[in-house]
């Protein structure tokens, strides 16, 4: 090698090292939330955690969500990111992987939505629940799925997906209501909305188990945890207490807002009261949000109306988004973040995240739009 070649190779080596260092340390430096904008992770890639939820471990937030591609089939699984400041997120990989094995219900190409993780203090395990639809069956299966891990970021071991509460009556379905539902089940001219309201779908699915689609989890301060989901053809919510290990639904459950057509439930607790945001049923298209409150997770729940304050368009479309989770900010009192998805079904991977501060007005949780905001919003 002559001197010229030596200099050239040294220069090449320097350039390569610089590139590697830049790549290794590539990270974002967000200092605020910018709802609806591209939100890059530490690798400069738009965060892929749709329909997500957040679990806090010590001083770190873990954001779990649907890894989307260019259609709605789950080909990858549940993606997880971590953050200490909520603005900047590190890609922690795939927490629950879709399976190559075509005999598994969790095979690639099935639909996996709205994953949520809670920690069980008794078993020291992280438990992940999600909405699961079987491959090639559209949204017909309506199952809830569960997986478990010793580590927050996984890998999560898939347990099973199933219908809920086969052969078990809810706590709030009296003999009178059963008789009423049976009468309605015989009517042939009932409209779709009425079937759910009068318990006709509930009776239909009694033996085989109730449907579960849009779902979330809520872990209470006393360690009890709940599974909240759109059931009965999305007409009625079902709230079920989880067993002590969080791996199954206990028999303690209630029907909430029969025929109310709520989807996308998200729960939080403030001053001993439980609050819920939800949406109506228009698939990927946005619709007006709803809010509700209760003194106990198992109800009764009282409707509080549309929480959005703003223009007609904002009220009609919930800022063009649909709720997925409400995050209590660690170390700040009464600080809750409304997390929602602005779906882009033509190219799901491009879906945007709408995070807004929850405010209170006359004892009701309300939402207003901000193009940009920071956590010190809650200190004012
Ligand atoms: C929405 C639901 C999403 C997804 C979609 C499918 O209403 O909230 O999670 O299931 O329907 O059309």
């Amino acid at each position: 090698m002559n001197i010229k070649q030596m200099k050239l190779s040294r220069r090449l080596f320097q350039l390569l090292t610089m590139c590697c260092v830049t790549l290794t340390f590539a990270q974002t430096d967000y200092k605020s939330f910018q709802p609806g904008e591209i939100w890059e992770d530490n690798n400069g890639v738009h965060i892929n955690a749709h329909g997500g939820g957040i679990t806090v471990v010590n001083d770190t937030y873990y954001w779990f969500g649907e890894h989307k591609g260019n259609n709605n089939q789950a080909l990858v699984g549940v993606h997880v990111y971590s953050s200490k400041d909520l603005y900047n997120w590190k890609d922690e990989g795939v927490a629950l992987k879709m399976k190559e094995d075509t005999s598994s219900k969790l095979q690639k190409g099935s639909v996996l939505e709205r994953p949520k993780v809670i920690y069980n203090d008794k078993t020291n395990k992280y438990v992940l629940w999600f909405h699961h639809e079987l491959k090639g069956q559209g949204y017909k299966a309506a199952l809830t799925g569960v997986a478990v891990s010793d580590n927050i970021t996984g890998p999560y071991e898939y347990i099973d997906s199933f219908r809920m509460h086969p052969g078990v009556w809810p706590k709030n379905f009296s003999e009178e209501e059963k008789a009423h539902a049976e009468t309605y089940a015989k009517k042939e001219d009932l409209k779709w909305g009425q079937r759910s309201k009068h318990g006709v779908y509930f009776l239909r699915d009694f033996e085989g188990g109730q449907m579960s689609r849009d779902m979330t989890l809520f872990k209470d301060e006393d360690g009890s945890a709940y599974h909240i989901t759109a059931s009965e053809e999305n007409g009625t919510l079902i709230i079920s207490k989880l067993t002590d290990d969080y791996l199954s639904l206990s028999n303690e459950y209630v029907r909430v807002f029969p025929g109310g057509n709520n989807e996308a439930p998200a729960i939080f607790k403030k001053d001993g009261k439980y609050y819920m945001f939800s949406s109506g049923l228009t698939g990927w298209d946005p619709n007006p949000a709803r809010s509700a409150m209760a003194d106990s997770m198992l109800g009764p729940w009282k409707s509080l109306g549309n929480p959005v304050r703003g223009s007609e368009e904002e009220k009609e479309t919930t800022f063009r988004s649909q709720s997925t989770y409400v995050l209590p900010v660690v170390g700040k009192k009464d600080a809750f973040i409304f997390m929602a998805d602005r779906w882009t079904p033509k190219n799901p991977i491009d879906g945007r995240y709408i995070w807004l501060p929850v405010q209170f007005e006359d004892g009701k949780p309300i939402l207003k739009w901000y193009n940009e905001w920071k956590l010190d919003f809650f200190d004012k």
Side-chain angles (χ1 to χ4, degrees), residues 143-159:
L143 309 177
T144 186
V146 60
V148 66
S149 177
D150 290 329
N151 305 305
I152 179 74
T153 53
Y156 283 76
E157 189 194 327
Y158 175 57
I159 301 176

Side-chain angles (χ1 to χ4, degrees), residues 57-301:
V57 181
N58 301 322
D59 61 346
T60 307
Y61 296 93
Y62 292 88
W63 177 357
F64 293 84
E66 305 161 24
H67 180 109
K68 298 262 197 202
N70 55 14
N71 65 39
N72 199 45
Q73 290 185 351
L75 299 173
V76 176
V78 176
H79 209 132
V80 57
Y81 297 82
S82 67
S83 173
K84 287 199 192 289
D85 64 7
L86 289 173
Y87 306 129
N88 298 285
W89 292 88
K90 177 174 176 240
D91 185 353
E92 298 279 1
V94 181
L96 172 66
K97 282 199 172 73
M98 302 310 288
K99 303 208 183 281
E100 298 290 344
D101 177 0
T102 53
S103 66
S104 169
K105 285 184 199 166
L106 198 68
Q107 66 176 296
K108 280 188 178 176
S110 55
V111 170
L112 188 163
E113 293 180 342
R114 299 185 175 270
K116 306 286 176 312
V117 170
I118 47 176
Y119 176 67
N120 190 295
D121 305 85
K122 291 185 186 143
T123 61
N124 295 325
K125 301 224 184 257
Y126 295 92
V127 184
L128 188 167
W129 287 78
F130 55 95
H131 168 199
H132 192 196
E133 297 290 348
L134 301 179
K135 188 175 176 186
Q137 297 187 20
Y139 279 82
K140 197 167 141 263
L143 309 177
T144 186
V146 60
V148 66
S149 177
D150 290 329
N151 305 305
I152 179 74
T153 53
Y156 283 76
E157 189 194 327
Y158 175 57
I159 301 176
D160 200 5
S161 310
F162 39 81
R163 284 281 181 101
M164 309 185 297
H165 307 300
V168 182
W169 295 102
K171 270 170 68 116
N172 61 347
F173 208 65
S174 64
E175 289 303 322
E176 217 172 295
E177 282 168 302
K178 280 181 212 167
H180 178 87
E182 274 154 18
T183 312
Y184 269 79
K186 289 185 196 119
K187 299 191 185 199
E188 274 168 19
D189 56 342
L190 276 184
K191 290 209 185 81
W192 178 83
Q194 291 179 303
R195 290 184 196 276
S196 183
K197 183 174 172 201
H198 297 291
V200 177
Y201 293 130
F202 181 85
L203 284 190
R204 181 195 70 187
D205 293 337
F206 183 72
E207 293 302 337
Q210 301 299 328
M211 305 174 101
S212 179
R213 291 210 182 103
D214 280 11
M215 55 72 60
T216 192
L217 300 176
F218 177 75
K219 181 176 169 184
D220 210 341
E221 288 146 317
D222 65 358
S224 56
Y226 298 84
H227 178 275
I228 302 98
T229 190
S231 190
E232 300 176 30
E233 303 289 353
N234 301 334
T236 299
L237 289 169
I238 284 189
I239 302 187
S240 313
K241 195 169 178 198
L242 295 178
T243 51
D244 283 354
D245 59 9
Y246 301 168
L247 298 178
S248 320
L249 305 176
S250 78
N251 285 342
E252 209 175 330
Y253 82 103
V254 289
R255 296 172 72 229
V256 174
F257 299 132
N261 300 339
N262 285 280
E263 274 194 333
I267 309 272
F268 66 102
K269 187 178 187 182
K270 177 179 175 287
D271 301 331
K273 306 252 184 248
Y274 301 86
Y275 294 89
M276 183 194 305
F277 289 119
S278 61
S279 75
L281 311 184
T282 49
W284 301 116
D285 294 331
N287 57 54
R290 292 103 178 266
S291 60
M293 71 171 289
D295 291 329
S296 143
M297 271 305 288
L298 296 180
W301 284 85

